[in-house]
Amino acid sequence: MDIFDNKKGGFTIMSGKTDVHGGFGQGVLDLNAVSSVIIDGDEAYIDMGALHAKSAVEKGIKWTMNKEEVPNGKPYWLVWVTVDRNEAGPYYAGATACYMEIDREARRGYKILADHVNRMDYSMKRRIMLSDLSEKEKAALKKLLIDNNADMFENSTEELKQNLS
């Protein structure tokens, strides 16, 4: 089933806002400000496919919530990064990390989907949750954020900067 085809009973994540109280689109999740970053060891890169669990590393994987079913899993982190604008300009407003393990050869992976969804929500609520990342992973994420836009990183909160140092 194609989740983007409403005629087949799927859903559409809509962008744009409505000013009409109770009108079409009320309560719709707006993901325009959220990006997904994959951390693979000491490399971090943006992969927008992760917004729908279809990043390059997630494609074709059968997921389980039992870590023992993925004994040869390689660790990955998915980081939800939300951007916003303040008086200084655009900045990285929220960043939350989610763990997963993937065995590409066996096409099996471990993740807790509810945790991924909740942490996306926390990022959208401008929270910083990066304490589970190793120093190497934090350095990779920091490098990506700075390389992507150094001014946005500079405008970001001290909480984000401290979490990545």
Side-chain angles (χ1 to χ4, degrees):
M1 176 170 87
D2 183 358
I3 64 173
F4 301 106
D5 186 350
N6 285 332
K7 294 176 186 155
K8 293 183 181 176
F11 63 92
T12 303
I13 296 176
M14 303 174 64
S15 64
K17 309 246 187 273
T18 178
D19 294 330
V20 180
H21 177 27
F24 178 76
Q26 179 182 2
V28 172
L29 187 60
D30 184 3
L31 297 177
N32 282 335
V34 180
S35 296
S36 45
V37 173
I38 301 291
I39 301 177
D40 179 358
D42 58 357
E43 179 190 9
Y45 55 91
I46 297 170
D47 188 333
M48 293 303 287
L51 284 170
H52 302 286
K54 294 187 185 288
S55 67
V57 298
E58 293 173 295
K59 281 185 182 175
I61 299 298
K62 181 175 179 177
W63 296 100
T64 179
M65 291 183 3
N66 183 354
K67 210 173 194 182
E68 288 75 37
E69 293 180 32
V70 191
N72 300 318
K74 179 180 176 185
Y76 291 90
W77 287 92
L78 168 59
V79 181
W80 302 112
V81 179
T82 302
V83 296
D84 201 354
R85 180 174 296 276
N86 61 19
E87 58 280 345
Y91 71 105
Y92 301 113
T96 57
C98 314
Y99 183 73
M100 58 185 169
E101 286 184 18
I102 299 172
D103 182 345
R104 298 284 321 151
E105 191 173 307
R107 300 176 66 97
R108 299 282 293 167
Y110 161 80
K111 73 176 173 181
I112 300 172
L113 182 59
D115 185 51
H116 284 234
V117 172
N118 287 336
R119 289 186 183 235
M120 178 196 288
D121 180 58
Y122 296 156
S123 177
M124 293 171 66
K125 291 177 178 171
R126 314 311 190 243
R127 294 184 189 169
I128 308 296
M129 298 174 70
L130 302 172
S131 60
D132 293 333
L133 297 176
S134 70
E135 295 306 314
K136 176 176 71 168
E137 293 154 346
K138 288 179 182 180
L141 179 59
K142 181 177 181 179
K143 180 182 182 323
L144 174 73
L145 295 178
I146 291 171
D147 289 352
N148 181 64
N149 191 318
D151 290 336
M152 284 178 66
F153 187 79
E154 193 56 40
N155 292 342
S156 296
T157 64
E158 285 305 312
E159 180 184 10
L160 175 66
K161 294 173 188 173
Q162 287 173 1
N163 269 267
L164 293 176
S165 56

